[in-house]
Amino acid sequence: MENVHLAVEEDDLYSGYNDYNPTFDSEELENDVGFQQAVRTSHGRRPPVSIDFSVCPLFTALDGAARPMTAVRAAGYTSSLTRGSTFDPLGQSKGPAPPLEAKNEDTPEEKIKILEKKVNDLIEESCMAQSIGALQLALEKAKEAGRKERALVRQREQSGNADHINLDLTYSVLLNLANQYANNEMYPEALNSYQVIVKNKMFSNAGRLKVNMANIYFKQKNYPKAIKFYRMALDQISNTHKEMRIKIMQNIGVVFVRMGQYSDAITSFEHIMSESPNIRTGFNLILCYYAIGDRERMKKAFQKLISVPLGIDDEDKYIPTNDDTNSNMVIEAIKNDKLHQMERDLKVLAEKYIMTAAKLIAPAIETSFATGFDWCVDMVKSSQYVELANDLEINKAITYLRQKDFNQAVETLKTFEKKDSRVKSAAATNLSFLYFLEKDYDQADRYADLAMNADRYNPAALINKGNTVFVKQDYEKAAEFYKEALRNDSSCTEALYNLGLTYKRLNRLEEALDCFLKLHAILRNSAQVMYQLAHLYELLEDPQQAIEWLMQVISVTPTDPQALAKLGELHDGEGDKSQAFQYYYESFRYFPSNIDVIEWLGAYYIETQFCEKAIQYFERATLIQPTQVKWQLMVASCYRRSGNYQKALETYKDIHRKFPENVECLRFLVRLCTDMGLKEVQDYATKLKKVEKMKEIREQVCCVRVRQSYSGHSSSSTKGERLSAKMRSLPGSNEPYETSSPKELDASYVDPLGPQMERPKTGAKRRVEDDDFADEELGDDLLPE
């Protein structure tokens, strides 16, 4: 308990913190004997040091006395406040700081600075407008920047600072203005602006802008002047800018090609390939050699082309090789970055040029294209593009197809049956397509299965398989294959089109309509898709929607006679005869051989009492179907109804010579001869009785057959019944075109786009990268009959 000290309430808990070592008390230094002796030594014989406590940063004023800032006591803090002082470590009691002195904008220097900033802002706005495609706005901003810059120069001259003109700003304004003129295709103004920069010797390195001037002359097809300016720019660019010089020389070579001077172009391209080879120049060099027909140099140029280094890293570096999480994250991040996309694009471009060059020179470098293809394949196999060899082999088969040599094409494609899965699937897909075109559906089905087994995710193989099932009328199964193709490739338009046709055959019209509406969203200008939509709306008994879609078909293909005829039929069904006549007449104008259109127009003119105009249509029908007597009878009837009895009599006599057993012709000959008082009437009457008697005997023998034929014909189409009824109702009861049987005047509607509109599209076109021939052989057409 002796060592325990109890705290007294009167004791200050913060006492002792203000105590410090008296050694640090500067006020007692004069009385310190040891310090004064040290000052008198040789070390202290220096000029006396005076300490100003008011400015020394190590001291602060406290209660009017200079006290040191120590670790014992912090500056500004104390356990007690004396003499009425307040705690204000931030000095807030002194009031707010005085405001900053405002700049005087009336001085010339400030005006010049403000104007310079406005010019720079306008240049930046012009460039930004160009980047978003607002070329007109970019030009306006560039012009305004030019006006401001000239005002700036005048202001400098007035203030006497003409020597301090900002040349960089002037150069930027002129260059941007010239570029915007060029972007807006105002080439004379752009050339003038570039000329101002080039002629001003105060602008260093302005000579390289002659490249821009040469580009403008090239766009204007002023090739000699473009060559001149390219060469002038080349002379003013030093050898240190090697890449720029190579690009200019490449432009010179392209201009020579446009001028047809292939020898000069070859000189430029060969120099580039020796200094800095690239894919584009190598391809252009091959084209020039092909133009002059130099076989050996074509081969050498092709070898140079496939040996051009691309500078692309191996794709294996993008594959994770270990369990290092950080490394895998880095690989995942760079797998699809901009640099990798550029590498892929460059590789695709190189493969495109090599494939095109091989297809171009293969028929020219050897006696036959097959030998030339073999040489190209051998060269490619020994290069870095070895994977292109199989594609070249498939292109060899495609060339056979274009030459109509199907056997050689099939033999070439069959060699891929033992290759790797990707190539095997592509070859089998093409074989399936070929056999499908030849209507050898068993072989087409076999190779479609082979393509599917090699690559189940090949949508073209699935489409071909679905097509082979479709022709066997197993529509449910065909729909499953088309759906699977869509699951593998949602952009496969052939599968979606064929699926719509399948639903249409299954009479699932709403689902078919949904397929074609989706397809229309992808293929906005496809006339086939819009026609199918119109046909579906017609089947759904919505003629107005059908007419709307057919109008869209006409907007895409305004000269399609079948679509025009279909529009005429729909308007006729709606009772709008004038619109129907307009579309039928347009259809006849573009295709004057459609019997249905000719018959409708002839019947329309007879109905409107213009028989003379109907004659030309029935005469054309006679030319198209010379063995059909009804058209010639219609011509004769039109002559008779128009009052030209002599011409009608001659026409009937001509018909009688061609068709001596025609009852209708003999009846009218008897009537006309009687009315005109001719002696031949008795002869024609005798012939008429004989023919009628023979007809009665024939009808008795073939009664059953005639009944069957008549009953079968009674189910003819609505349009045929409507036209036949209209034709029968026009003249009197003794007219030839009403006494003719419905079978003779049957005009049942034929689908405007033919039966092939209901055929599925082939899957050969959708081969992802191997089936190039599909683009030319099929395009967007449907399967040909």
Side-chain angles (χ1 to χ4, degrees):
M1 293 298 294
E2 294 178 357
N3 297 325
V4 175
H5 301 280
L6 299 176
V8 184
E9 293 181 358
E10 291 79 12
D11 290 345
D12 188 1
L13 295 177
Y14 297 96
S15 62
Y17 288 97
N18 291 334
D19 298 336
Y20 61 95
N21 194 326
T23 305
F24 299 105
D25 189 358
S26 59
E27 295 181 353
E28 300 298 329
L29 290 178
E30 296 180 356
N31 301 324
D32 191 332
V33 179
F35 179 80
Q36 292 297 329
Q37 290 179 352
V39 171
R40 295 188 183 97
T41 61
S42 59
H43 178 73
R45 293 175 183 176
R46 291 176 298 172
V49 178
S50 62
I51 300 175
D52 187 357
F53 296 104
S54 64
V55 297
C56 181
L58 296 178
F59 293 87
T60 182
L62 181 62
D63 296 338
R67 298 295 301 274
M69 184 184 299
T70 66
V72 176
R73 178 182 177 188
Y77 294 90
T78 179
S79 60
S80 62
L81 298 176
T82 59
R83 300 182 184 180
S85 62
T86 59
F87 179 73
D88 186 16
L90 300 178
Q92 296 177 355
S93 62
K94 297 179 180 180
L100 297 175
E101 184 178 354
K103 289 186 178 180
N104 187 4
E105 297 183 357
D106 295 334
T107 61
E109 292 79 6
E110 288 299 324
K111 290 182 178 179
I112 289 172
K113 288 182 180 180
I114 293 172
L115 200 53
E116 277 188 353
K117 186 177 184 306
K118 288 182 179 179
V119 173
N120 282 312
D121 291 342
L122 285 170
I123 294 174
E124 184 176 353
E125 290 174 8
S126 176
C127 295
M128 292 298 293
Q130 178 194 349
S131 66
I132 62 175
L135 301 181
Q136 188 63 36
L137 177 62
L139 178 60
E140 293 299 328
K141 294 291 184 182
K143 288 180 179 179
E144 188 177 354
R147 291 192 291 269
K148 296 284 186 184
E149 195 273 334
R150 286 192 294 272
L152 175 62
V153 172
R154 287 195 298 269
Q155 193 164 348
R156 284 187 182 277
E157 292 175 350
Q158 292 173 1
S159 63
N161 294 329
D163 296 337
H164 297 84
I165 293 177
N166 192 343
L167 290 177
D168 292 337
L169 184 61
T170 304
Y171 180 85
S172 300
V173 169
L174 291 174
L175 179 59
N176 181 57
L177 182 61
N179 289 338
Q180 301 309 329
Y181 276 133
N183 292 334
N184 285 271
E185 298 183 358
M186 301 171 66
Y187 297 134
E189 292 83 354
L191 289 172
N192 291 334
S193 300
Y194 282 127
Q195 198 72 23
V196 171
I197 302 174
V198 170
K199 287 186 176 181
N200 194 333
K201 296 183 179 180
M202 298 180 68
F203 298 136
S204 59
N205 298 324
R208 65 182 58 188
L209 292 181
K210 292 180 180 179
V211 175
N212 297 22
M213 300 175 71
N215 291 341
I216 292 176
Y217 285 123
F218 179 81
K219 292 177 181 177
Q220 293 179 331
K221 298 184 179 181
N222 189 350
Y223 300 131
K225 212 158 189 177
I227 291 287
K228 175 184 176 181
F229 274 83
Y230 279 134
R231 285 176 170 170
M232 291 170 64
L234 195 64
D235 293 338
Q236 297 187 13
I237 295 177
S238 63
N239 293 328
T240 55
H241 299 87
K242 183 178 178 181
E243 186 176 355
M244 175 68 75
R245 291 178 62 87
I246 290 296
K247 290 182 178 179
I248 294 175
M249 292 193 69
Q250 187 168 345
N251 288 359
I252 292 173
V254 171
V255 177
F256 277 130
V257 170
R258 289 294 184 91
M259 297 172 67
Q261 300 179 14
Y262 300 113
S263 299
D264 295 329
I266 287 171
T267 302
S268 297
F269 291 145
E270 283 181 343
H271 176 75
I272 296 172
M273 292 300 289
S274 62
E275 293 292 329
S276 178
N278 61 80
I279 290 292
R280 193 182 301 274
T281 303
F283 180 72
N284 289 339
L285 185 59
I286 290 176
L287 293 180
C288 292
Y289 287 145
Y290 180 81
I292 64 175
D294 194 332
R295 294 184 176 184
E296 294 301 323
R297 295 170 83 180
M298 270 190 274
K299 290 183 177 181
K300 293 180 181 179
F302 186 76
Q303 291 174 338
K304 288 182 181 179
L305 178 65
I306 61 178
S307 62
V308 171
L310 297 180
I312 298 176
D313 294 331
D314 191 4
E315 290 288 330
D316 293 341
K317 75 173 184 179
Y318 298 105
I319 301 174
T321 56
N322 49 34
D323 297 333
D324 187 357
T325 305
N326 294 332
S327 176
N328 292 341
M329 290 177 64
V330 171
I331 292 173
E332 192 66 28
I334 67 174
K335 185 180 295 184
N336 200 33
D337 61 355
K338 293 291 184 182
L339 181 59
H340 193 200
Q341 291 176 10
M342 290 173 61
E343 290 178 348
R344 285 201 300 263
D345 293 341
L346 180 60
K347 187 175 181 181
V348 169
L349 182 66
E351 292 177 353
K352 175 185 175 183
Y353 280 144
I354 291 171
M355 292 289 293
T356 306
K359 289 188 285 187
L360 177 69
I361 69 173
I365 58 177
E366 298 292 346
T367 55
S368 66
F369 88 92
T371 310
F373 259 110
D374 292 339
W375 182 87
C376 292
V377 169
D378 292 338
M379 291 297 103
V380 169
K381 284 181 178 179
S382 60
S383 70
Q384 57 183 324
Y385 303 99
V386 62
E387 67 275 5
L388 291 181
N390 292 326
D391 295 337
L392 281 175
E393 289 281 1
I394 291 179
N395 274 280
K396 181 180 176 182
I398 294 168
T399 308
Y400 279 126
L401 280 176
R402 289 172 179 159
Q403 295 181 353
K404 309 300 181 184
D405 192 348
F406 296 103
N407 294 329
Q408 287 290 342
V410 171
E411 290 299 324
T412 304
L413 290 171
K414 284 182 177 180
T415 60
F416 290 95
E417 293 187 16
K418 297 182 180 180
K419 298 283 185 177
D420 60 88
S421 59
R422 183 185 68 86
V423 179
K424 184 194 300 183
S425 178
T429 300
N430 287 325
L431 285 169
S432 175
F433 159 68
L434 287 175
Y435 284 120
F436 191 82
L437 288 182
E438 294 178 353
K439 297 185 179 180
D440 189 351
Y441 300 127
D442 293 334
Q443 287 288 351
D445 185 69
R446 172 176 171 269
Y447 279 102
D449 289 334
L450 182 62
M452 289 168 53
N453 293 334
D455 183 6
R456 185 71 185 188
Y457 298 98
N458 183 356
L462 292 166
I463 291 173
N464 286 341
K465 179 63 177 178
N467 290 351
T468 58
V469 177
F470 185 95
V471 296
K472 296 176 182 177
Q473 300 183 359
D474 189 353
Y475 301 123
E476 293 287 352
K477 193 173 182 180
E480 292 301 321
F481 284 111
Y482 296 143
K483 289 178 182 178
E484 186 176 354
L486 284 171
R487 285 193 293 270
N488 294 337
D489 181 7
S490 59
S491 63
C492 185
T493 55
E494 288 82 2
L496 191 56
Y497 187 96
N498 292 350
L499 183 61
L501 287 183
T502 306
Y503 284 143
K504 191 176 175 183
R505 287 293 181 90
L506 292 169
N507 203 30
R508 293 156 63 175
L509 301 181
E510 293 293 342
E511 295 178 69
L513 187 65
D514 183 58
C515 290
F516 285 114
L517 286 173
K518 289 179 181 177
L519 195 58
H520 178 66
I522 301 171
L523 306 174
R524 303 295 299 181
N525 295 322
S526 175
Q528 293 177 341
V529 175
M530 289 186 284
Y531 171 78
Q532 291 293 342
L533 286 167
H535 193 208
L536 283 169
Y537 277 115
E538 184 184 7
L539 295 175
L540 290 169
E541 299 180 355
D542 190 350
Q544 290 301 323
Q545 281 289 341
I547 289 173
E548 289 294 328
W549 282 105
L550 280 174
M551 291 297 294
Q552 293 193 39
V553 174
I554 295 301
S555 68
V556 176
T557 57
T559 60
D560 186 353
Q562 302 292 356
L564 289 166
K566 185 64 176 176
L567 267 173
E569 180 195 345
L570 290 173
H571 280 292
D572 188 24
E574 292 293 298
D576 192 348
K577 295 289 184 181
S578 61
Q579 282 290 341
F581 170 75
Q582 178 183 349
Y583 288 117
Y584 272 121
Y585 181 79
E586 288 294 313
S587 176
F588 174 78
R589 190 163 65 90
Y590 290 120
F591 184 62
S593 300
N594 190 327
I595 291 294
D596 295 330
V597 174
I598 291 172
E599 184 176 4
W600 191 94
L601 289 170
Y604 174 80
Y605 278 119
I606 292 175
E607 185 179 3
T608 54
Q609 304 300 320
F610 290 101
C611 299
E612 297 88 348
K613 292 186 177 181
I615 291 173
Q616 60 175 326
Y617 295 102
F618 292 127
E619 285 180 343
R620 182 170 291 276
T622 302
L623 294 174
I624 297 171
Q625 295 180 347
T627 59
Q628 293 289 331
V629 67
K630 64 179 179 179
W631 306 122
Q632 300 181 45
L633 290 172
M634 293 296 295
V635 172
S637 178
C638 289
Y639 279 126
R640 188 180 61 80
R641 290 176 60 82
S642 62
N644 193 346
Y645 297 109
Q646 186 61 38
K647 190 68 175 176
L649 180 62
E650 293 175 1
T651 305
Y652 281 124
K653 287 181 179 180
D654 185 61
I655 296 171
H656 179 64
R657 283 193 297 268
K658 295 178 181 177
F659 305 95
E661 295 183 357
N662 187 270
V663 177
E664 306 298 336
C665 180
L666 287 170
R667 285 176 182 173
F668 279 100
L669 280 172
V670 171
R671 176 188 290 185
L672 283 174
C673 289
T674 303
D675 294 342
M676 298 173 70
L678 299 178
K679 296 179 180 180
E680 296 96 331
V681 63
Q682 190 61 39
D683 186 23
Y684 290 128
T686 303
K687 291 182 179 180
L688 177 60
K689 289 180 180 180
K690 291 182 180 180
V691 172
E692 286 179 343
K693 188 175 182 179
M694 292 176 60
K695 186 177 180 181
E696 289 176 3
I697 296 173
R698 193 180 298 116
E699 286 179 354
Q700 290 175 1
V701 174
C702 302
C703 183
V704 177
R705 186 180 304 171
V706 170
R707 289 177 181 174
Q708 291 177 351
S709 175
Y710 183 79
S711 62
H713 178 74
S714 61
S715 60
S716 59
S717 65
T718 305
K719 181 189 173 187
E721 294 174 356
R722 184 168 65 250
L723 276 177
S724 298
K726 179 170 65 175
M727 296 291 284
R728 288 194 298 271
S729 65
L730 292 178
S733 60
N734 54 357
E735 292 292 338
Y737 37 79
E738 61 184 29
T739 55
S740 300
S741 65
K743 184 176 181 181
E744 292 178 345
L745 294 177
D746 181 27
S748 58
Y749 175 71
V750 180
D751 197 334
L753 296 185
Q756 57 186 355
M757 287 300 295
E758 299 300 325
R759 288 297 192 90
K761 286 190 176 183
T762 181
K765 180 178 180 294
R766 290 303 302 166
R767 187 184 57 76
V768 177
E769 58 187 24
D770 298 303
D771 189 13
D772 291 338
F773 78 92
D775 291 336
E776 182 166 334
E777 294 297 323
L778 284 182
D780 288 330
D781 295 334
L782 297 172
L783 177 66
E785 287 291 312

